[in-house]
Amino acid sequence: MPNLGLIGIQWGDEGKGKIVDLLSEYSDVVVRFQGGANAGHTIVADGRKIILHLIPSGILREGKYCVIGNGVVFDPEIFIKEISELKELGYLQDDSRLLVSGAAHLIMPYHKKLDILRETKSKEKIGTTGRGIGPAYEDKMGRSGIRVIDLFNEEVFREKVKRNLELKNFIIREYYGEEGFNLDEILEVYGSYRAVLKKYVNDTVTFLLNCISEGKSVLFEGAQGTNLDIDHGTYPYVTSSNTVAGNIMSGSGVPPSAIHRIVGVCKAYTTRVGEGPFPTELKDETGDTMRERGAEYGATTGRPRRCGWFDAVAAKRAIQINGISNLCLTKLDVLDEFEEIKICTKYRLGDKLYEVPPIDTYTYEKCLPVYEKVKGWKVNTKGIREYGELPEEARSYIERLEKILGVKISIISTGPDRESTIVRDRFFE
Ligand code: GDP
Ligand code: IMO
Ligand code: MG
């Protein structure tokens, strides 16, 4: 398989976990390059549902290497919990196939606390996952962050935590009026992670460069989605990393020339968790039906996801930014019940029509969708594996999306499990 980047082109939860699990059969290595345990990637395999937050979705495939790259913000507590859950289920018998970059930044307890305090105590709520992602990336960019490798130098680690606590405790106590953190307690808890983590921590850049020069195939697993990107998303209602394909290189250390193709994942409709613009949102029965049929509740926080029709304006921009050559369209079966299906092809604000999303979020929030309507199919498509077996109206919907987006829809997912998949074009071989 060529080296692929797999990117969500909506607001996250597009079904990346399922598609990565599927494609990892054909790759040697799967890499997470940004984000952290804010991700919730669901895989339904061997009759079980598994949600991964930090470990790449290739981990269920025996013999595949999984890498947590330098661009990830790494929560050791969640990592260790995930490993033990996987082992209990009989996966990950060989620890040598899981690697964590020593250069990844650590999520510390004060990051999580500050994330939650900001969300609960300020008027401007983002609706974060509360996993400490924003505060950890701030420290990384502010050059005061603590990296995984620092954990293994006790003196350095102690000094860095001490220095960080001076400011963090000041903010937590004086600004928020809450209890701060104790240095020794943090050192004890993080010290206990040292022995467990040691065997996984590595120079993942050298590992990946070697894999590439040996001709192994690498699959880069995006987290979140393009519209949550810190630069290209609906700022400030975004996550704190670059989620776009351009960040694969910085977040993993491979050169641009090593990536052969970028694949996009999107749902047959749109969802979003947390605050921020969402022109096609349906705050009515139709939206409720989508939520119930699609089981649209957050894989990380359990929050109900906001649901709406397919937003081709936002998707088209995401396709351009990422250089998507092939799309995977998931959750087609969720639309089975609808009489009529809508595609948003433009936004409207007063007399003005928008072909691309406005940069200004406050304008974006006021935009209304301009819809094109297609006929629903009202037939059960769940589990269909051949394109020709889809009802004609479903094929028309897919082909209309292809035409609007200008990209081939190569994979169609008709259910959460591996088997419920239509492959129209084996671009991954
Ligand atoms: P990710 O974050 O992009 O990996 O997506 P999530 O795992 O957060 O959310 C996708 C949800 O949709 C999960 O519960 C999947 O099991 C489920 N799913 C994926 N593909 C399909 C599909 O084709 N049909 C249905 N009904 N569910 C799907
Ligand atoms: P996966 O990888 C959907 C959203 C949060 C919030 C915003 C900022 O499963 O697609 P953060 O905790 O990152 O600071 O929250 O981003 N968000 C996601 N939404 N899927 C995700 O990941 C998300 N990760 C973060 O809901 O609006
Ligand atoms: Mg998710």
Side-chain angles (χ1 to χ4, degrees):
M1 183 170 99
N3 299 327
L4 299 180
L6 188 130
I7 304 289
I9 67 157
Q10 295 166 319
W11 276 278
D13 302 326
E14 295 90 348
K16 298 177 292 294
K18 162 167 174 167
I19 305 296
V20 170
D21 167 68
L22 210 71
L23 296 181
S24 60
E25 185 181 349
Y26 306 91
S27 74
D28 301 302
V29 189
V30 183
V31 187
R32 278 280 309 268
F33 57 92
Q34 48 71 229
N38 48 349
H41 296 177
T42 314
I43 305 168
V44 178
D46 310 321
R48 273 192 296 244
K49 176 170 140 175
I50 293 169
I51 299 174
L52 295 164
H53 300 289
L54 208 46
I55 297 181
S57 301
I59 202 73
L60 306 190
R61 304 265 184 194
E62 208 45 58
K64 310 291 176 178
Y65 286 95
C66 286
V67 173
I68 295 178
N70 56 275
V72 169
V73 281
F74 180 80
D75 186 330
E77 185 188 351
I78 292 176
F79 178 73
I80 291 168
K81 187 161 164 264
E82 221 155 73
I83 287 178
S84 82
E85 285 168 359
L86 284 167
K87 285 189 184 285
E88 244 168 64
L89 294 173
Y91 299 107
L92 190 62
Q93 298 306 310
D94 173 10
D95 287 303
S96 70
R97 63 186 189 90
L98 179 59
L99 292 87
V100 178
S101 166
H105 279 248
L106 280 173
I107 296 262
M108 301 299 290
Y110 46 79
H111 292 138
K112 293 190 242 192
K113 176 115 180 175
L114 284 167
D115 190 0
I116 292 163
L117 281 173
R118 277 183 204 165
E119 286 287 301
T120 48
K121 297 214 169 184
S122 77
K123 281 191 214 122
E124 294 287 297
K125 211 167 111 99
I126 304 291
T128 72
T129 59
R131 296 290 175 103
I133 306 299
Y137 275 119
E138 279 172 36
D139 282 356
K140 171 178 175 172
M141 294 309 181
R143 294 164 294 186
S144 60
I146 308 179
R147 304 197 298 170
V148 171
I149 200 72
D150 297 329
L151 192 56
F152 298 93
N153 183 331
E154 284 189 44
E155 209 175 308
V156 166
F157 187 67
R158 185 189 169 82
E159 205 38 51
K160 289 198 172 188
V161 178
K162 187 166 166 262
R163 228 181 304 142
N164 269 283
L165 276 187
E166 280 165 19
L167 182 61
K168 307 297 182 204
N169 275 341
F170 179 79
I171 298 170
I172 292 168
R173 288 178 185 140
E174 303 302 318
Y175 186 77
Y176 290 112
E178 295 263 328
E179 211 177 308
F181 288 90
N182 175 281
L183 173 64
D184 290 328
E185 275 173 25
I186 293 185
L187 293 178
E188 195 188 323
V189 174
Y190 275 64
S192 74
Y193 297 150
R194 213 169 267 135
V196 193
L197 294 183
K198 196 161 193 296
K199 60 173 170 283
Y200 303 105
V201 178
N202 218 308
D203 172 0
T204 54
V205 174
T206 304
F207 174 81
L208 288 173
L209 293 176
N210 286 341
C211 286
I212 287 166
S213 65
E214 286 161 17
K216 290 203 171 81
S217 73
V218 187
L219 172 60
F220 296 89
E221 174 178 2
Q224 292 79 55
T226 302
N227 300 315
L228 287 171
D229 181 278
I230 187 82
D231 285 286
H232 303 288
T234 48
Y235 192 89
Y237 303 103
V238 291
T239 191
S240 297
S241 68
N242 283 109
T243 59
V244 294
N247 192 26
I248 293 176
M249 285 70 78
S250 323
S252 69
V254 305
S257 55
I259 296 153
H260 302 120
R261 202 182 268 271
I262 304 294
V263 180
V265 186
C266 58
K267 281 177 188 166
Y269 50 101
T270 311
T271 64
R272 168 161 209 172
V273 216
E275 309 300 316
F278 183 0
T280 65
E281 182 173 14
L282 296 163
K283 294 180 180 168
D284 59 7
E285 236 173 72
T286 309
D288 294 343
T289 307
M290 278 179 190
R291 186 173 311 105
E292 292 320 310
R293 286 191 57 86
E296 296 295 358
Y297 294 88
T300 299
T301 58
R303 289 176 291 176
R305 292 175 182 152
R306 301 158 65 190
C307 297
W309 295 117
F310 192 90
D311 182 340
V313 181
K316 227 163 143 175
R317 176 37 64 94
I319 287 166
Q320 293 170 326
I321 294 175
N322 291 295
I324 304 281
S325 61
N326 303 75
L327 273 181
C328 309
L329 186 77
T330 63
K331 305 191 91 158
L332 183 74
D333 55 297
V334 174
L335 299 183
D336 287 352
E337 239 181 51
F338 298 105
E339 223 36 88
E340 183 179 70
I341 290 168
K342 296 181 184 172
I343 306 168
C344 170
T345 53
K346 286 186 183 65
Y347 299 151
R348 182 172 57 77
L349 183 56
D351 296 337
K352 194 169 167 168
L353 286 176
Y354 289 85
E355 306 260 354
V356 295
I359 301 172
D360 175 21
T361 303
Y362 305 97
T363 304
Y364 205 157
E365 253 165 4
K366 293 191 212 112
C367 281
L368 297 170
V370 176
Y371 284 124
E372 179 177 313
K373 294 172 190 167
V374 301
K375 201 162 166 260
W377 42 94
K378 304 275 285 173
V379 174
N380 183 10
T381 62
K382 196 154 195 152
I384 289 184
R385 298 167 71 171
E386 294 296 331
Y387 190 66
E389 284 173 23
L390 285 176
E392 196 189 328
E393 293 84 353
R395 280 184 276 133
S396 299
Y397 178 56
I398 293 163
E399 286 157 32
R400 186 65 197 139
L401 285 180
E402 278 184 324
K403 183 107 178 83
I404 293 170
L405 300 173
V407 175
K408 170 126 197 179
I409 297 178
S410 300
I411 293 180
I412 298 147
S413 173
T414 56
D417 56 307
R418 280 176 183 165
E419 292 70 31
S420 300
T421 311
I422 298 167
V423 177
R424 290 171 81 200
D425 160 18
R426 300 185 76 81
F427 63 88
F428 47 84
E429 278 183 344

